[in-house]
Amino acid sequence: MNTSIVTPAEAGADIPIELLYRVPYGKVLHGKDCQHLTTNRLATLQPATELDRQKFKICRSCIIALDGDPGRDDFDSFEAALEALQVPAANRPAMRAIAEGLDTSRIWIPSTRTYVAVSPGTGQEVTAFFSKDSVDMRKDEGGYERLVLATPSGRTTAAGRQRAGAAGKTRAAAAQEPEPAPPTCPTCYMQLPATGVCDSCD
């Protein structure tokens, strides 16, 4: 697995800061959909700052996915974004309930076409990522909490609908128990290959 990284001076300088995140104590910036982030690391992501951009390196795969983000689409309505992402109809009511409790002044789908993101405005922290079958909601203490809305068949579960309704009112929902995280590098927090040796640090 190639996890080579470069500094912002070499590449990635045009990536909007609101698309970059950092694991606490990590030394690499990632996009939210980075393949190197485990479930546990995703839950602790913190929005990157301009100082982080100057100090830390950016994951090469994230640079490729996000640099310039030419395929990014902005939307005037949350409903239009759900339609563009082709979110299953069964999951849309729960997502609407969640979105009602959020500031959705800015709504977009990135070039990866994997989620609808909402935030209070340009340069502001993303408050929620709406994928086709789940929602990652920003927690007050930092990080994101995942709410799974659909079963493998695409049908929203009763528990998912109930939790989504509560999330729309309180902006919080009980996350499902995360799977055990695979081993990660203690320096850059990327997932280690089968050899157990980090391709970036060792």
Side-chain angles (χ1 to χ4, degrees):
M1 178 174 60
N2 184 1
T3 57
S4 58
I5 47 183
V6 297
T7 63
E10 296 168 343
D14 294 332
I15 298 176
I17 191 64
E18 65 265 27
L19 297 183
L20 294 175
Y21 295 83
R22 183 170 68 91
V23 175
Y25 308 110
K27 298 178 181 179
V28 179
L29 302 183
H30 298 275
K32 185 250 180 187
D33 283 331
C34 180
Q35 61 183 333
H36 305 131
L37 294 174
T38 65
T39 300
N40 287 351
R41 297 299 181 194
L42 180 64
T44 64
L45 282 184
Q46 296 177 348
T49 65
E50 287 295 344
L51 181 59
D52 290 335
R53 188 201 291 271
Q54 297 170 20
K55 290 173 54 180
F56 301 115
K57 300 174 182 180
I58 301 176
C59 170
R60 184 180 298 277
S61 62
C62 293
I63 290 176
I64 294 172
L66 300 173
D67 195 8
D69 208 5
R72 176 174 177 158
D73 292 325
D74 292 286
F75 295 86
D76 293 327
S77 75
F78 182 67
E79 193 65 34
L82 294 182
E83 183 65 28
L85 190 64
Q86 299 183 351
V87 172
N91 292 339
R92 296 189 188 188
M95 292 185 177
R96 293 186 194 106
I98 293 172
E100 285 179 1
L102 305 172
D103 185 341
T104 57
S105 297
R106 191 175 190 195
I107 307 168
W108 74 91
I109 297 176
S111 56
T112 55
R113 315 301 294 178
T114 51
Y115 58 77
V116 173
V118 300
S119 76
T122 302
Q124 300 294 311
E125 296 178 8
V126 175
T127 49
F129 296 95
F130 296 82
S131 301
K132 291 186 178 182
D133 60 0
S134 64
V135 181
D136 292 320
M137 297 181 62
R138 174 80 178 157
K139 297 185 292 187
D140 292 339
E141 65 273 21
Y144 289 83
E145 187 173 54
R146 174 160 293 182
L147 172 64
V148 177
L149 299 178
T151 63
S153 66
R155 296 181 59 188
T156 305
T157 64
R161 287 193 298 270
Q162 183 177 12
R163 290 198 305 270
K169 297 176 182 178
T170 65
R171 298 188 58 190
Q176 289 192 345
E177 193 68 28
E179 298 178 0
T184 56
C185 173
T187 300
C188 69
Y189 294 98
M190 291 184 182
Q191 183 175 332
L192 291 174
T195 62
V197 178
C198 180
D199 294 332
S200 298
C201 303
D202 295 320

